[in-house]
Amino acid sequence: MTEELSLDRKATLRAIWIFVKRDLKIWTYFKANFIINIVDMFWELALYTIIALVAEESVRRSLTPYGGDYVSYIVLGIVFNMILGTSLSAAYSGTMSAFWSGRLELLMLSPISTPVFILGTSIGNYIRTFLNVAVYLIFGVFIFGAKTSATANYWLALLYIVVAAAACTGLGLMAASMIYFVDARGGQDPIRWILNVIVGLAAGVYYPLSILPEWVQWLGSLIPHTYALDACRRLLLGGTATATLPIHKILPFNPLTTNLLVLLLFAVMTLPIGWRMYNRALKMAKKYGRLSRWV
Amino acid sequence: MGDVAIKTFGLTKRFRKEKIPAGVLGRSHWLLSLTLKLKLRKAEEFTAVDHVNLEVRRGELFGLLGPNGAGKTTLIKCLSTLLIPDEGTAIINGYDLLEEPEKVKRSINFLGSGQWVGFDWALTVRENLEFFANLYGLSPKTAKERIAEALNIVGLKDRADEKPHRLSAGMRQKMLLAKGFLIRTPIFFMDEPTIGLDPVSAREIRRYIKEKLRDEMGETILLTTHYMQEAQQLCDRVAIMDRGKIVACGTPEDLIRGLKRKEILEVEAVNIGPELLDEVRRIDSVENVGSRIEDEVMASGVIRVHTYDVESALPNVLQAIDRRGGKVLHVSISEPNLEDVFIELTGRGLGE
């Protein structure tokens, strides 16, 4: 007999799991990639350690609010930026992969909802990122001497990173909507492009913001990464409660409180806007016949 | 609406003709696309589906027959919520296409055409099917049973643990069919289901569609095809589509019976081209001409000539073929079929 399709809670969880299982299969397909990736991570950290040895004297004063150790600073910067980068890219890469493989139409026809699709394609990316983060931390701590402070507050740092990841997911949904709004199907889109330029230059991933001109520091204040990295380093590396970002000098709160408020504001604004934009983009794709490469 | 599964009301879909140059940035670069998008606002439109009114009864096996580019795929993509129509609407399984697309989605199964649609190269045939079975909410037990059944039907049981890129084009089409056979929804849209299959497999699939899905499961099936014989053998009713419009609709027998009384000359020949067809059309006793190319390299195939005086038409047709450098392989007087209905309605063959 025939029946209408439906997904109960168990079936939804199975659907999410099958996305993860598929992603893991694809990643392990080319085994050499794993090894090259690990060697690459080691090399990146080694490079920054050398830079740290050379530049430590000149940036030491700027590192005071973050405990003063450049290697620890850079290791945390890289791993937290990786997590936020995954939040930013998950919706775009999930949608693009489904588009180019011709799977997007089939997903749109299946009873899974759009959030399940986004979640399903994102979890696999997060697992991969966390594996990379673990490798970075192992190299960073055991080989290059990165360390956290004795008073490190891991749970509070986790809260900051979760809120920042939510904000970046909202921005990521906006970025994914560009696939259809401006036909950004070539692997890059204007939103992530602009954000990545600011992240590289003015979010404080690789060096403290205070060494930059003030207008560049303000540029960094426009993205959630800056606040999350600042807060997490303060919480995990110790240091002083001095103002490090331009907004700290304006708002009358402790820098950590200010960072959390700004991140919450980012999340509250970007998630619903991103969600609406993404759904509108899918509707537009259905209107103009762009869900697949073939009409 | 009780016994009507699908009903469309003036369904229309238009597309813009976009000619995006690749340029140094590549066709898909956002900066190039954004610039061109502004220019394309006034781009020319073409109507892929033109005010289509169609009614498919519950449990019916309904065929959309037409040449490539007739708008068949666009129409079923509109009906399956993959495209939003520009005008008109439809009722699918009692749900309004525009107002209740989620409910429509849950009522339908869709089998697209193209041999690489949605499959992962890193997964085996079975794993790919498991992926879709999970997305459709099948329980692990049902999924296992249905996958085994589907693989058996399409003849891929022995290749189930191979990766899709190791399969031939015909086998990948079979894999696509197996995916389509996993679920049992009230309505099944199939886009060219037997394209690329060998004749034996195609016959088996047609038998399964008719006997299992339609007769046993009671599914309403709307399939598109440009194979005249498939439509004639398989479908309860057929709508003939050309340039976005439904030009005729009825049972194959009624449509054929409705042809004007005339004789049909079937000429199998080599080197069939548009000039030859035009010349045959100009022959006095010839009313309509259609062709079907079966070998693109040799330009060989069948010309069907509708004439009211076969004795006077035949020598002229043969001379025309000779003049255009063609070679006649076989000539016969043919029984009318659905292709002749198409030829009469449009003045050309399904393969043109």
Side-chain angles (χ1 to χ4, degrees):
Chain A
M1 276 297 101
T2 62
E3 57 183 5
E4 290 184 18
L5 298 169
S6 65
L7 279 186
D8 56 20
R9 210 172 57 184
K10 242 171 123 177
T12 305
L13 289 174
R14 272 202 307 273
I16 293 171
W17 166 240
I18 200 76
F19 274 108
V20 178
K21 197 175 156 188
R22 186 202 59 154
D23 285 349
L24 293 175
K25 277 250 174 197
I26 292 170
W27 295 330
T28 51
Y29 194 76
F30 296 113
K31 299 199 170 41
N33 264 15
F34 265 118
I35 298 160
I36 292 168
N37 198 19
I38 289 169
V39 173
D40 203 37
M41 284 190 263
F42 179 86
W43 173 242
E44 190 181 2
L45 279 181
L47 196 69
Y48 281 115
T49 308
I50 295 165
I51 293 171
L53 289 171
V54 176
E56 194 154 22
E57 264 321 299
S58 53
V59 291
R60 188 182 291 280
R61 261 191 65 212
S62 310
L63 290 172
T64 314
Y66 310 114
D69 177 38
Y70 189 56
V71 173
S72 307
Y73 178 94
I74 205 89
V75 169
L76 283 191
I78 290 172
V79 299
F80 285 129
N81 188 40
M82 275 171 67
I83 296 169
L84 298 184
T86 303
S87 307
L88 198 59
S89 298
Y92 180 90
S93 57
T95 310
M96 273 329 298
S97 151
F99 173 84
W100 287 115
S101 65
R103 206 179 312 114
L104 193 58
E105 283 194 337
L106 301 176
L107 293 171
M108 290 296 133
L109 282 170
S110 75
I112 62 160
S113 58
T114 313
V116 170
F117 161 59
I118 301 279
L119 201 65
T121 50
S122 303
I123 289 175
N125 286 332
Y126 277 111
I127 290 174
R128 191 159 66 157
T129 300
F130 287 134
L131 288 175
N132 284 347
V133 163
V135 174
Y136 264 114
L137 289 177
I138 289 167
F139 284 155
V141 172
F142 295 107
I143 297 176
F144 299 106
K147 53 187 178 299
T148 52
S149 130
T151 56
N153 190 335
Y154 295 100
W155 289 109
L156 202 52
L158 183 68
L159 170 74
Y160 276 87
I161 211 71
V162 166
V163 179
C168 285
T169 302
L171 291 168
L173 286 167
M174 291 182 201
S177 70
M178 293 298 128
I179 294 169
Y180 295 113
F181 286 144
V182 298
D183 280 344
R185 290 174 289 180
Q188 191 55 278
D189 66 88
I191 291 180
R192 281 188 315 149
W193 181 74
I194 291 167
L195 285 169
N196 285 332
V197 166
I198 301 175
V199 167
L201 179 73
V205 178
Y206 307 105
Y207 41 79
L209 272 193
S210 53
I211 66 166
L212 297 171
E214 196 167 337
W215 70 269
V216 185
Q217 291 182 34
W218 273 109
L219 197 64
S221 303
L222 300 175
I223 56 170
H225 300 62
T226 313
Y227 302 95
L229 291 174
D230 183 71
C232 288
R233 281 176 176 138
R234 282 171 190 274
L235 287 163
L236 298 179
L237 303 179
T240 59
T242 45
T244 45
L245 307 178
I247 203 162
H248 294 160
K249 293 164 195 159
I250 296 170
L251 295 179
F253 307 115
N254 168 303
L256 278 172
T257 313
T258 305
N259 288 359
L260 187 60
L261 287 174
V262 175
L263 284 173
L264 282 168
L265 187 69
F266 263 117
V268 165
M269 280 169 59
T270 59
L271 272 174
I273 294 173
W275 183 243
R276 277 185 76 107
M277 283 174 70
Y278 187 75
N279 278 313
R280 274 193 75 123
L282 284 180
K283 207 169 173 181
M284 189 176 167
K286 289 183 180 182
K287 175 106 182 120
Y288 293 110
R290 297 212 178 107
L291 270 185
S292 78
R293 283 180 281 171
W294 309 278
V295 177
Chain B
M1 292 296 296
D3 61 342
V4 176
I6 303 163
K7 190 171 169 69
T8 70
F9 303 89
L11 209 71
T12 301
K13 184 72 205 162
R14 299 183 194 92
F15 291 111
R16 281 184 195 152
K17 279 184 184 171
E18 295 181 7
K19 280 183 189 162
I20 300 177
V24 284
L25 292 170
R27 213 173 256 112
S28 296
H29 195 280
W30 63 269
L31 194 60
L32 180 74
S33 301
L34 184 63
T35 319
L36 285 162
K37 227 172 173 38
L38 299 172
K39 287 186 186 171
L40 285 168
R41 281 189 175 169
K42 291 175 190 166
E44 198 185 327
E45 281 189 334
F46 74 96
T47 307
V49 174
D50 196 354
H51 296 90
V52 165
N53 293 304
L54 203 65
E55 195 175 288
V56 181
R57 298 172 203 129
R58 272 192 202 284
E60 193 170 33
L61 213 165
F62 192 95
L64 271 178
L65 176 68
N68 293 331
K72 309 182 296 289
T73 302
T74 304
L75 176 57
I76 63 164
K77 280 195 172 182
C78 284
L79 295 176
S80 56
T81 73
L82 287 174
L83 286 172
I84 298 174
D86 294 306
E87 275 180 51
T89 187
I91 303 292
I92 314 282
N93 197 34
Y95 303 121
D96 189 294
L97 181 68
L98 300 179
E99 304 294 324
E100 303 163 290
E102 286 303 313
K103 288 179 179 169
V104 169
K105 248 171 64 174
R106 286 165 189 264
S107 307
I108 61 164
N109 188 2
F110 180 88
L111 177 70
S113 59
Q115 291 144 7
W116 202 256
V117 182
F119 293 120
D120 267 308
W121 45 266
L123 306 184
T124 64
V125 172
R126 193 190 306 279
E127 287 167 340
N128 268 296
L129 295 177
E130 276 168 7
F131 178 77
F132 286 106
N134 274 284
L135 293 191
Y136 289 126
L138 299 185
S139 71
K141 184 172 171 277
T142 313
K144 204 175 168 189
E145 285 167 8
R146 296 266 179 89
I147 289 168
E149 189 189 327
L151 286 170
N152 203 24
I153 294 153
V154 300
L156 281 183
K157 204 167 70 176
D158 299 333
R159 313 295 295 266
D161 297 314
E162 286 187 37
K163 303 267 163 58
H165 60 264
R166 299 237 176 261
L167 304 179
S168 67
M171 283 175 180
R172 288 203 292 270
Q173 175 66 14
K174 288 179 179 179
M175 192 175 155
L176 200 64
L177 286 162
K179 185 202 79 65
F181 295 155
L182 291 178
I183 51 170
R184 312 263 192 262
T185 51
I187 294 167
F188 198 162
F189 294 112
M190 296 181 180
D191 192 14
E192 309 270 6
T194 59
I195 199 161
L197 295 184
D198 58 89
V200 178
S201 303
R203 198 168 53 235
E204 281 303 301
I205 295 301
R206 282 181 201 127
R207 194 179 58 78
Y208 181 78
I209 291 171
K210 195 167 187 168
E211 292 176 9
K212 174 82 177 181
L213 300 182
R214 201 273 307 266
D215 296 345
E216 200 181 315
M217 307 305 300
E219 292 186 27
T220 304
I221 298 162
L222 174 56
L223 67 84
T224 73
T225 182
H226 65 274
Y227 297 140
M228 175 275 302
Q229 279 167 332
E230 182 165 87
Q232 201 162 328
Q233 286 167 12
L234 197 61
C235 300
D236 302 318
R237 283 196 306 144
V238 172
I240 296 178
M241 212 170 167
D242 184 44
R243 291 172 182 155
K245 290 183 195 291
I246 302 284
V247 291
C249 184
T251 64
E253 298 76 27
D254 284 347
L255 290 171
I256 293 165
R257 215 176 293 130
L259 280 170
K260 287 179 202 159
R261 277 199 66 80
K262 61 188 141 199
E263 286 170 298
I264 291 149
L265 193 60
E266 189 178 270
V267 184
E268 230 183 292
V270 174
N271 207 12
I272 301 170
E275 297 85 8
L276 168 63
L277 296 174
D278 282 345
E279 194 170 335
V280 175
R281 277 187 190 104
R282 284 196 294 271
I283 296 169
D284 276 349
S285 54
V286 169
E287 206 164 301
N288 281 310
V289 179
S291 74
R292 189 175 65 246
I293 300 294
E294 278 155 7
D295 181 345
E296 297 281 349
V297 181
M298 301 288 290
S300 68
V302 175
I303 306 172
R304 292 181 77 83
V305 183
H306 292 195
T307 171
Y308 47 84
D309 183 359
V310 74
E311 278 175 26
S312 122
L314 182 58
N316 289 323
V317 170
L318 298 180
Q319 277 168 20
I321 292 171
D322 189 48
R323 265 200 302 278
R324 293 286 171 186
K327 190 180 165 193
V328 177
L329 302 174
H330 185 254
V331 179
S332 62
I333 306 290
S334 168
E335 285 294 310
N337 60 30
L338 277 178
E339 187 162 16
D340 297 308
V341 178
F342 186 82
I343 292 168
E344 183 169 287
L345 290 166
T346 66
R348 61 186 205 287
L350 278 166
E352 286 171 60

